[in-house]
Amino acid sequence: MSRYYTQEHEWIEVENQVATVGITDYAQHQLGDIVFVEVPDAGREFAKGDEAAVVESVKAASDVYSPVSGTVTEGNAALADDPSLVNSDPEGAGWFFKLNLMHPSQLSELMDEAAYKEFVAGL
């Protein structure tokens, strides 16, 4: 299993050809208390960088972008009932959606954990 990060603070974890996507702990701290999350339905297709989900907090609303191109296989239905999962476990139970990779080579354009930590330290 490999995990990658974007400059927009999404994480993506890949196992075989299926990727799980969410926002980082840094992002959820910046947003504050999450009050609403809209995740995509299965079957939606996204190109890399497309708006894929919406997250609203007491501070702001933000789009969550698809880190790579793919077809959604599952949205995290648990977030509709309990959006605070993003605050309590952003890089675990608070995942947003899963997708089948269209172009696995796009993963090489993302940051690994060390590069992401360095990126965040510079903000």
Side-chain angles (χ1 to χ4, degrees), residues 92-108:
W95 60 275
F96 280 54
F97 57 93
K98 296 182 180 202
L99 51 78
N100 281 324
L101 301 177
M102 267 186 217
H103 306 293
S105 63
Q106 291 176 332
L107 295 170
S108 66

Side-chain angles (χ1 to χ4, degrees), residues 42-121:
R44 299 260 330 257
E45 285 190 14
F46 295 112
K48 178 180 178 180
D50 282 353
E51 296 171 4
V54 175
V55 58
E56 292 181 17
S57 71
V58 293
K59 291 182 181 176
S62 294
D63 293 319
V64 176
Y65 303 97
S66 184
V68 294
S69 300
T71 303
V72 174
T73 60
E74 180 181 1
N76 188 352
L79 295 180
D81 294 333
D82 187 5
S84 70
L85 282 173
V86 179
N87 290 118
S88 62
D89 193 10
E91 299 191 31
W95 60 275
F96 280 54
F97 57 93
K98 296 182 180 202
L99 51 78
N100 281 324
L101 301 177
M102 267 186 217
H103 306 293
S105 63
Q106 291 176 332
L107 295 170
S108 66
E109 300 166 13
L110 304 175
M111 294 180 276
D112 63 14
E113 185 174 359
Y116 179 72
K117 283 183 178 178
E118 187 176 320
F119 171 72
V120 169

Side-chain angles (χ1 to χ4, degrees), residues 10-24:
E10 289 100 6
W11 58 266
I12 175 170
E13 190 167 271
V14 180
E15 185 169 13
N16 300 318
Q17 291 294 308
V18 178
T20 304
V21 177
I23 64 171
T24 65

